[in-house]
Amino acid sequence: MKRGIVAVALTGWLALPPLRGLADDAPVPAQELRLAAGRSAVIDFPTDVARISTSNPEVVDAVAVSLREVLLHARNLGSATVVVWTKNGGRAFYQVSVEPNLEPIRELLRKTFPGENIQVQATRDSLSLTGRVSSAAVAERAAALVAPHAKTVVNHLEIAPNGPDPQVLLRVRFAELNRSALEALGANLVSTGALNTPGSVTTGQFPSPRASQLEGTIPGRLEGTQSSFSISDTLNVFAFRPDLNLAAFIRALESRGLLQILAEPNLVTTNGKEASFLVGGEFPIPVVQGGANVGAVTIQFREFGIRLTFLPQITPHQTIKMMVRPEVSTIDMANALVFSGFTIPALATRRMETNVELAPRQSFVIAGLIDDRVTETLAKVPGLADIPLLGALFRSRQQNRSKTELVVIVSPEITHPLEAGQPLPGPEMPKEFLPPLTKPSARGGPAAPSRKAAAGRKGNR
């Protein structure tokens, strides 16, 4: 009889083949049996059974159900040795190992991960997973699935090598619309001798003429007295009446402007990896040190400009789920801070963060980031500005309006690396960048292009 291993994995009773050749002097080698916990097996003998012994009744229970049949019942996990003596003097040895019932676990793995090669082996207190799976996520999920069925799970699953990860190309367009309007109204009055009095009246907001020369006699006389004024700015409306000795300078100005700034960055990153983009610069900030170097000033740099950060994730539906965080910041000198002789500028920042899911080549727009500012300056001459009707000549007003709107357009798409042998993409020139190289003609005529240059020109076409 040859030594072998008999694995029991079927429900119910299992009848083992009868043992042949149990003679009085014939040595009987031990057989190895594997039973699932709670299962039974029946062993048939060619001769009558005399005695039965088991080394661990708590693991394996052996009972003679007839003169030639022995029933083995697996109770608990472990191993035991069963010895059977026959009436003719023969002996049979069985090394019985009781293992967990793995068939429900195998069925669960087959249904949960169809198409994956996952094998389960068991020892006394642990389960071992072997085979090859398609990804690390499948291996982790398989180990978590069988963890409640054993104290310890040993994960020996191999990860099948995959091809290159898909890459995501993000096309972003930043458009900033800046509308500004300026309205100014003011008047300066100058008298070169009206009512026998030279002088000027101004609110001080706009440049006014200044008296540069004034000549008179003592005692004062009107005849021969001269006054002169230096005109620094005629504003945009100027009138002078010599017969009245009166001049008026009026500023009535209204201006409007439109500014559009556009940036189109393109970012490429692999699936699940973050990418960032910054167009701008850095400005220095003085920082006062403490501790041993108290009072010392060091310089740190702060970034500003157009910044974009995004994290793409390709879903099983071939859509792109991504987190997008665009930011636009500019230096604001109007709110700058002066500290210890240093001028520290402020930052005007517009920032947004969102999570979207798009199909390739679809786009979404982030708009509505509006910065609307109105600045109005009013100056007047006390008393004179409150005179009805004429008081408008002694008041000046300047109003500055600015309205800025930021629009961000994002378009993702899935890209793949070029295969070997594919031509590399290059920039498309609307016209030939440089003229071809030419060789001087032997006859002094126009130079003829070289063969290499002619071939290159033909390729450009």
Side-chain angles (χ1 to χ4, degrees):
M1 221 178 137
K2 296 183 180 179
R3 179 185 177 93
I5 299 176
V6 179
V8 178
L10 300 177
T11 59
W13 294 40
L14 180 66
L16 301 178
L19 299 177
R20 303 295 183 184
L22 292 177
D24 295 341
D25 56 351
V28 180
Q31 298 188 51
E32 293 186 4
L33 301 180
R34 291 182 179 176
L35 299 178
R39 304 296 176 85
S40 301
V42 177
I43 304 177
D44 294 328
F45 287 88
T47 58
D48 295 341
V49 176
R51 297 190 308 275
I52 303 173
S53 175
T54 175
S55 63
N56 195 346
E58 295 181 358
V59 176
V60 178
D61 185 16
V63 179
V65 295
S66 67
L67 293 178
R68 297 188 177 186
E69 293 180 342
V70 176
L71 173 64
L72 301 180
H73 179 67
R75 291 185 172 183
N76 298 308
L77 300 180
S79 59
T81 301
V82 177
V83 183
V84 180
W85 288 269
T86 60
K87 291 184 178 181
N88 61 357
R91 295 184 300 273
F93 296 87
Y94 297 93
Q95 298 291 340
V96 183
S97 298
V98 180
E99 300 176 348
N101 187 9
L102 301 179
E103 190 59 29
I105 299 178
R106 293 190 179 99
E107 183 66 20
L108 180 62
L109 291 174
R110 282 193 295 267
K111 291 182 178 180
T112 307
F113 306 101
E116 302 287 351
N117 182 19
I118 303 177
Q119 306 297 331
V120 184
Q121 288 80 28
T123 58
R124 182 177 179 85
D125 296 328
S126 64
L127 294 177
S128 176
L129 300 180
T130 58
R132 174 172 289 192
V133 293
S134 58
S135 64
V138 174
E140 294 176 359
R141 291 170 54 196
L145 189 63
V146 301
H149 300 277
K151 293 182 179 180
T152 306
V153 177
V154 182
N155 193 346
H156 289 293
L157 292 173
E158 297 181 3
I159 309 300
N162 297 325
D165 293 336
Q167 301 182 18
V168 179
L169 171 63
L170 191 68
R171 304 181 186 272
V172 184
R173 297 171 179 85
F174 288 89
E176 183 178 11
L177 303 179
N178 187 357
R179 297 180 177 89
S180 61
L182 175 65
E183 296 179 1
L185 178 62
N188 293 329
L189 300 180
V190 177
S191 172
T192 59
L195 301 179
N196 300 327
T197 304
S200 63
V201 178
T202 177
T203 59
Q205 186 176 8
F206 305 111
S208 62
R210 292 172 297 178
S212 60
Q213 185 178 1
L214 184 63
E215 296 180 356
T217 59
I218 299 176
R221 297 175 56 189
L222 295 178
E223 294 80 2
T225 301
Q226 296 182 357
S227 61
S228 62
F229 290 81
S230 297
I231 300 175
S232 57
D233 187 359
T234 59
L235 303 185
N236 58 341
V237 177
F238 170 68
F240 177 63
R241 287 288 300 271
D243 55 340
L244 300 178
N245 292 325
L246 184 64
F249 300 83
I250 301 176
R251 167 167 287 186
L253 180 64
E254 181 178 355
S255 63
R256 300 182 183 274
L258 175 63
L259 175 63
Q260 181 178 5
I261 302 174
L262 184 66
E264 297 186 4
N266 294 334
L267 297 179
V268 179
T269 184
T270 56
N271 183 26
K273 301 297 182 179
E274 186 178 89
S276 61
F277 173 87
L278 174 64
V279 173
E282 297 181 349
F283 63 93
I285 298 178
V287 179
V288 180
Q289 300 295 316
N293 299 325
V294 60
V297 178
T298 60
I299 301 299
Q300 294 183 359
F301 287 87
R302 177 74 178 272
E303 295 178 345
F304 71 95
I306 299 176
R307 182 194 302 272
L308 174 67
T309 303
F310 83 105
L311 177 63
Q313 185 72 37
I314 301 177
T315 64
H317 304 289
Q318 294 302 308
T319 59
I320 303 174
K321 182 183 297 184
M322 59 183 175
M323 182 275 297
V324 183
R325 188 167 59 246
E327 176 184 336
V328 176
S329 58
T330 56
I331 295 179
D332 186 7
M333 297 302 299
N335 298 318
L337 175 65
V338 179
F339 177 75
S340 298
F342 297 96
T343 301
I344 304 174
L347 281 181
T349 304
R350 279 168 289 176
R351 182 187 301 114
M352 68 208 79
E353 183 175 352
T354 182
N355 291 272
V356 295
E357 183 174 355
L358 299 174
R361 297 186 179 276
Q362 288 184 343
S363 301
F364 76 95
V365 179
I366 302 175
L369 298 175
I370 301 176
D371 183 11
D372 194 353
R373 302 185 183 185
V374 178
T375 303
E376 185 174 3
T377 303
L378 179 64
K380 65 180 182 178
V381 178
L384 299 178
D386 298 328
I387 299 175
L389 299 177
L390 295 178
L393 298 176
F394 304 97
R395 292 194 298 264
S396 63
R397 181 177 60 89
Q398 183 174 356
Q399 187 180 64
N400 189 1
R401 296 181 179 180
S402 62
K403 186 175 183 180
T404 303
E405 181 177 4
L406 179 64
V407 179
V408 182
I409 305 173
V410 181
S411 302
E413 61 179 272
I414 301 175
T415 62
H416 299 278
L418 294 176
E419 300 293 339
Q422 290 186 356
L424 298 177
E428 296 182 1
M429 299 294 181
K431 59 184 300 184
E432 195 172 9
F433 182 63
L434 290 176
L437 297 177
T438 58
K439 294 182 179 180
S441 175
R443 299 181 179 179
S450 62
R451 296 180 180 178
K452 186 181 297 185
R457 187 168 60 221
K458 183 178 180 181
N460 291 334
R461 294 175 184 171

